[in-house]
């Protein structure tokens, strides 16, 4: 019930200014984000790999309205890929990219428009990822970007078929998108969806979102692609496991994904039962939007959050 108000509040400039004064070392921030630098992210990856987990890394940043900033983000990914390769981690770690962080939201007046810039920037990251021996997954953002993101995905997959997609079960359109993307070699991350969306495009009731998630799971697990089941929901994990055996899926022909810092014991439990488990590691200076979405999902953490704001620790 608190999810929508928190997401709405998070758009306020004053709130952003206040929350952004928290040091990254503050408990509430570090519980979701290992740090601001590439080396903290690489160290966190190495730690997870030691525990038998895989990783996907996200250099935080979104809604860039500045071409230079988009370029800085691309360079951050190139540096990250280089450091992952140098650390011998690319067999276990890939990268997740938000197109809005690499130019998708730039106006048409800038060098061919945001869509084209984001595509070219994504291509650069995909090439570097392939050279480093790993892959890219395109995160999915709010519904106004879905068409553009899927169009970029289609273009990228012509040269880089290994590029992963993300679909959000809360959107009415997603079951059909799952059908379209359940083909051989197609890596698809299914999540519930983290943005505040209108009822014209998205289910509003949690139960309806869960039902949609299960319908989408069925399509993906029965299909020919590689489903990436991104949820912390114990019910969804259980349902996914039984659907995987119902559809004759061997372990390793799909994977579970969870966010850094959320249900770490469950991540290890699944991995020790033979499942492939990938942890999404966000890092960088721009942790605000990410943190607010996580708080909106877990209002139980609000008091912890408010205490951090007051004590600034
Ligand atoms: C790897 C990964 C990548 C993602 N990528 C995207 C993306 O590209 N676009 C996008 O819109 N969203 C993305 N998301 C976020 C996703 O859409 C959801 O907002 C988020 O995962 C919360 O949904 P949930 O499935 O975990 O279930 P929820 O409905 O939030 O939670 C269900 C249950 O899970 C358990 N749980 C949830 N959170 C916690 C917690 N903090 N601690 C303990 N238990 C908890 C509780 O039992 C809870 O009742 C991603 C999520 C993951 C895991």
């Amino acid at each position: 019930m608190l999810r929508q108000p928190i997401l709405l509040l998070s758009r306020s400039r004053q709130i952003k200014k206040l929350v952004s004064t928290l040091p990254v070392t503050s408990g509430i921030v570090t519980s979701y984000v290992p740090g601001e630098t590439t080396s903290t992210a690489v160290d966190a990856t190495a730690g997870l790999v030691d525990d038998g987990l895989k990783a996907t890394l996200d250099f935080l940043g979104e809604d860039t309205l500045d071409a230079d900033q988009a370029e800085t983000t691309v360079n951050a990914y190139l540096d990250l890929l280089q450091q992952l390769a140098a650390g011998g981690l690319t067999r276990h770690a890939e990268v997740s990219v938000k197109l809005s962080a690499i130019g998708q939201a730039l106006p048409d007046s800038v060098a061919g428009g945001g869509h084209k810039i984001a595509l070219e920037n994504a291509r650069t990251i995909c090439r570097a990822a392939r050279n480093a021996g790993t892959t890219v997954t395109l995160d999915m953002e709010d519904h106004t970007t879905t068409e553009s993101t899927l169009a970029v995905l289609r273009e990228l997959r012509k040269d880089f078929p290994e590029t992963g997609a993300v679909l959000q079960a809360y959107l009415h359109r997603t079951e059909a998108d799952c059908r379209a993307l359940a083909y051989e070699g197609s890596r698809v991350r299914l999540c519930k969806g983290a943005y505040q969306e209108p009822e014209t495009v998205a289910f509003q009731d949690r139960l309806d979102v869960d039902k949609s998630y299960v319908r989408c799971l069925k399509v993906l697990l029965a299909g020919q692609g590689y489903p990436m089941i991104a949820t912390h929901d114990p019910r969804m994990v259980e349902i996914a496991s039984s659907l995987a055996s119902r559809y004759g899926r061997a372990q390793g022909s799909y994977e579970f994904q969870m966010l850094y810092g959320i249900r770490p014991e469950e991540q290890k439990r699944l991995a020790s039962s033979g499942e492939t488990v990938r942890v999404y590691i966000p890092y960088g200076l721009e942790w605000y939007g990410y943190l607010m979405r996580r708080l909106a999902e877990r209002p139980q953490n609000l008091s912890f959050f408010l205490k951090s704001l007051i004590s600034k620790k």
Side-chain angles (χ1 to χ4, degrees):
M1 250 164 45
L2 279 169
R3 182 169 178 264
Q4 305 253 341
I6 295 174
L7 287 176
L8 264 180
L9 257 187
S10 72
R11 293 203 201 141
S12 145
R13 278 181 182 214
Q14 279 99 330
I15 301 275
K16 181 170 184 185
K17 216 168 143 192
L18 178 69
V19 176
S20 301
T21 59
L22 276 173
V24 72
T25 49
S26 139
I28 188 71
V29 185
T30 50
S31 59
Y32 293 111
V33 178
E36 292 180 338
T37 61
T38 308
S39 61
T40 52
V42 172
D43 288 349
T45 305
L48 291 169
V49 169
D50 282 347
D51 285 339
L53 301 162
K54 293 185 181 289
T56 182
L57 290 98
D58 167 37
F59 178 69
L60 289 165
E62 50 199 273
D63 297 333
T64 300
L65 290 171
D66 176 344
D68 290 343
Q69 178 60 34
E71 202 182 314
T72 304
T73 299
V74 174
N75 289 333
Y77 274 104
L78 302 187
D79 178 42
L80 169 65
L81 285 161
Q82 205 175 24
Q83 292 201 36
L84 288 172
L89 291 166
T90 45
R91 216 159 52 83
H92 305 286
E94 61 140 34
V95 297
S96 284
V97 176
K98 283 191 174 46
L99 290 181
S100 79
I102 55 169
Q104 189 182 38
L106 287 169
D108 287 348
S109 54
V110 183
H115 180 87
K116 193 159 167 267
I117 294 172
L119 173 59
E120 288 318 311
N121 282 337
R123 219 189 274 287
T124 303
I125 299 171
C126 286
R127 200 174 298 117
R130 183 181 280 175
N131 290 339
T134 189
T135 50
V136 174
T137 293
L138 298 183
D139 280 354
M140 190 59 86
E141 301 177 67
D142 75 75
H143 80 278
T144 62
T145 64
T146 310
E147 273 306 325
S148 159
T149 301
L150 291 177
V152 168
L153 176 84
R154 281 191 294 273
E155 278 305 306
L156 286 174
R157 280 190 172 179
K158 288 180 187 164
D159 295 322
F160 305 99
E162 64 274 26
T163 308
V166 177
L167 295 175
Q168 300 151 316
Y170 64 15
L171 294 184
H172 300 148
R173 58 175 288 163
T174 293
E175 197 181 336
D177 287 332
C178 286
R179 276 200 199 91
L181 286 177
Y183 56 85
E184 195 169 345
S186 172
R187 297 191 311 123
V188 180
R189 175 193 301 161
L190 179 67
C191 62
K192 289 190 186 177
Y195 297 81
Q196 195 205 354
E197 300 288 17
E199 58 186 353
T200 47
V201 299
F203 300 109
Q204 306 292 310
D205 191 285
R206 291 181 82 93
L207 189 62
D208 289 332
V209 177
D210 288 358
K211 284 185 190 161
S212 169
Y213 197 95
V214 174
R215 288 194 299 274
C216 293
L217 271 178
K218 286 182 180 165
V219 174
L220 293 176
L221 286 164
Q224 303 299 310
Y226 181 80
M228 304 188 281
I229 302 155
T231 182
H232 314 99
D233 189 335
R235 278 190 59 232
M236 296 302 126
V237 170
E238 205 184 306
I239 292 171
S241 300
S242 58
L243 285 174
S245 26
R246 190 201 292 176
Y247 294 119
R249 286 260 178 184
Q251 285 182 327
S253 68
Y254 60 92
E255 69 184 41
F256 287 101
Q257 296 192 342
M258 294 192 190
L259 301 176
Y260 177 83
I262 302 188
R263 305 196 72 207
E265 292 311 317
E266 175 65 0
Q267 296 170 10
K268 285 188 230 164
R269 186 196 67 81
L270 281 168
S272 62
S273 74
E275 299 290 3
T276 302
V277 181
R278 192 177 299 276
V279 179
Y280 184 104
I281 307 178
Y283 73 99
L285 290 164
E286 296 288 325
W287 44 262
Y288 174 77
Y290 180 85
L291 176 69
M292 294 311 273
R293 287 196 292 279
R294 301 292 79 82
L295 282 175
E297 281 155 14
R298 194 99 182 136
Q300 293 97 308
N301 281 349
L302 265 184
S303 62
F304 179 30
F305 172 60
L306 292 173
K307 272 186 217 137
S308 305
L309 263 186
I310 293 163
S311 67
K312 295 275 168 67
K313 274 200 254 150

